[in-house]
Amino acid sequence: MKTLLRNCWYVALPSQKLKPGKMVHKKMLGEPVLVGRRKDGEVFAMRDICPHRGIPLQYGWMDGDDVCCRYHGWQFSTNDGRCSLIPSLTEYDDLDISRIRVPTYPCREVQGNIWVYFAEDTKKEIDLATIPPVPTIPDFGKIEPGISEIIHFNCHMDHAIIGLMDPAHGPYIHSSWWWRSGRRKFTVKEKLYEPVPQGFRLVPYDMPVSARPYKILGNKVSIEIVFELPSVRTEILRGDRYSACLLTTITPIDETQCEAFQSMYWTIPWMGAFKPLLSFLTRKFLYQDRDVVIQQQEGLMYDPALMLIDDADTQAKWYFRLKQEYQKAQAENRPFKNPVEPRILRWRS
Ligand code: FES
């Protein structure tokens, strides 16, 4: 089950990290990817290897809509990756340079993140009409995140994902003097889950009136948590005054490491003043998750048998079942059939 899912969108980086005319190298799903933004603001992604002699294109520069290789100056269109210029050619050469191509990836910018689509074979040209839409938070329109964080996880993405949806680690990992301050007061949680097209969700319910921090959003606040393959988790709080959302996605760098992207959105007009504090708290939480994963790796290197229990680990079990069905459906060239059934989960945390 350690396979990395393909035919999916993954976040490459937050929009704010890529200025016009700039290019960034990313390793995603084990492939070298050059993600760039043209002067007109459009984003693009292409394989970060020059087809001439293999130097990564990240060392070159952009010239209009083209990327130029620093070794011999060959130019490639950011629209389709085709070679548009080989400076060393003379009128005596009859090489058809448009047949030389750098593979490109579908690339989109949605709600403040740049997403790259990984087809089964990224070296082949794909029909854009056949690929799924980019994951988008419903009801938030073209909103930009108030804060965006990236954190590197030194583990296979599966461990990062099941850590994300694990409801039992909170009291142990996410305790600080300002949060849960060492008190491990457990209560029984009982939550209804149901399937969504490529995953499952916590059916929205109203937060208890005692949940004070949420009162910022209004007197009546509901929460919904959705997870969809390959690795997209949205936690949406809808109040009768304002709404907020935390989007977390995991992108595999390769089989042994991944990146977590977290974006926080809100419709509260004065919340901008609290960005530094929110950013600090978000990083603190993510670092707590990362630190335990680093410790976990010390045990995983011995390849121990692992276990998942009911009900606290049921979401992790669903993740592996969804992933297995996704791969089978693609191998058998048939529609995906969600294996998750509606169910109440109970755990103490
Ligand atoms: S290696 Fe890129 S142009 Fe020669």
Side-chain angles (χ1 to χ4, degrees):
M1 282 307 294
K2 286 201 165 175
T3 322
L4 304 174
L5 295 187
R6 302 190 75 98
N7 299 318
C8 303
W9 290 96
Y10 290 96
V11 170
L13 71 166
S15 300
Q16 64 190 41
K17 301 269 185 204
L18 193 59
K19 303 284 179 233
K22 297 288 179 204
M23 305 184 291
V24 173
H25 167 83
K26 300 289 295 186
K27 186 176 177 189
M28 301 171 73
L29 285 80
E31 297 182 19
V33 182
L34 184 75
V35 185
R37 188 190 292 284
R38 300 194 316 228
K39 286 266 169 55
D40 64 6
E42 283 300 309
V43 291
F44 65 89
M46 55 173 56
R47 187 170 166 81
D48 195 9
I49 301 279
C50 178
H52 181 211
R53 299 256 286 276
I55 189 171
L57 292 165
Q58 61 173 307
Y59 298 116
W61 65 95
M62 287 187 68
D63 183 352
D65 285 359
D66 288 355
V67 169
C68 310
C69 178
R70 77 155 291 180
Y71 207 167
H72 310 95
W74 291 22
Q75 290 187 202
F76 304 93
S77 164
T78 54
N79 293 314
D80 57 12
R82 292 193 189 285
C83 184
S84 55
L85 179 73
I86 295 181
S88 61
L89 290 183
T90 68
E91 65 268 32
Y92 298 103
D93 290 297
D94 62 353
L95 179 67
D96 177 6
I97 63 170
S98 70
R99 295 184 63 184
I100 303 168
R101 184 177 162 263
V102 179
T104 54
Y105 300 81
C107 182
R108 303 275 184 279
E109 189 164 24
V110 173
Q111 293 175 326
N113 283 303
I114 297 169
W115 296 75
V116 174
Y117 182 79
F118 281 79
E120 195 59 48
D121 182 354
T122 47
K123 290 192 183 135
K124 280 191 191 153
E125 277 189 87
I126 54 171
D127 179 0
L128 294 180
T130 62
I131 65 176
V134 180
T136 305
I137 308 164
D139 312 330
F140 277 72
K142 290 194 170 177
I143 197 168
E144 295 289 308
I147 58 171
S148 293
E149 298 293 341
I150 311 175
I151 190 160
H152 179 266
F153 277 80
N154 193 22
C155 63
H156 188 281
M157 71 178 290
D158 287 352
H159 286 294
I161 288 172
I162 64 174
L164 255 185
M165 58 180 61
D166 168 11
H169 75 294
Y172 298 95
I173 302 307
H174 298 300
S175 65
S176 305
W177 61 267
W178 43 269
W179 180 261
R180 290 188 169 136
S181 62
R183 290 172 292 127
R184 286 180 185 160
K185 268 215 229 154
F186 286 77
T187 54
V188 175
K189 309 288 189 316
E190 189 174 286
K191 307 275 159 80
L192 173 62
Y193 287 80
E194 66 179 13
V196 294
Q198 287 207 140
F200 53 86
R201 73 165 183 164
L202 167 69
V203 174
Y205 70 91
D206 289 341
M207 302 291 286
V209 250
S210 56
R212 287 206 168 271
Y214 302 110
K215 285 207 155 206
I216 297 168
L217 304 173
N219 293 317
K220 193 163 182 267
V221 180
S222 71
I223 183 167
E224 176 187 16
I225 300 176
V226 184
F227 173 81
E228 290 208 83
L229 291 177
S231 53
V232 183
R233 181 186 188 271
T234 46
E235 185 169 344
I236 307 176
L237 291 156
R238 293 187 181 90
D240 51 15
R241 215 174 308 147
Y242 304 120
S243 299
C245 177
L246 184 66
L247 169 73
T248 312
T249 70
I250 308 285
T251 299
I253 295 171
D254 54 29
E255 298 270 352
T256 60
Q257 43 185 339
C258 59
E259 280 185 310
F261 296 89
Q262 201 157 64
S263 304
M264 199 179 283
Y265 306 81
W266 55 74
T267 59
I268 310 163
W270 43 265
M271 200 64 178
F274 293 92
K275 273 189 194 179
L277 177 65
L278 287 170
S279 194
F280 168 78
L281 297 177
T282 306
R283 260 181 279 131
K284 191 89 184 162
F285 266 66
L286 284 169
Y287 288 158
Q288 288 169 337
D289 283 318
R290 182 203 55 188
D291 292 347
V292 76
V293 161
I294 291 171
Q295 292 170 340
Q296 184 189 25
Q297 290 307 307
E298 292 177 24
L300 292 182
M301 63 194 276
Y302 297 98
D303 202 18
L306 305 176
M307 63 174 78
L308 294 171
I309 60 165
D310 278 338
D311 282 353
D313 291 336
T314 295
Q315 294 178 66
K317 289 184 178 183
W318 284 342
Y319 166 66
F320 288 116
R321 295 230 307 264
L322 285 161
K323 197 174 160 185
Q324 193 169 35
E325 161 59 15
Y326 186 88
Q327 290 170 281
K328 268 184 89 175
Q330 297 211 329
E332 293 166 11
N333 200 21
R334 61 168 172 79
F336 171 83
K337 190 169 173 295
N338 193 326
V340 176
E341 300 279 344
R343 181 174 157 187
I344 292 174
L345 299 182
R346 298 177 181 86
W347 67 87
R348 279 162 59 82
S349 67

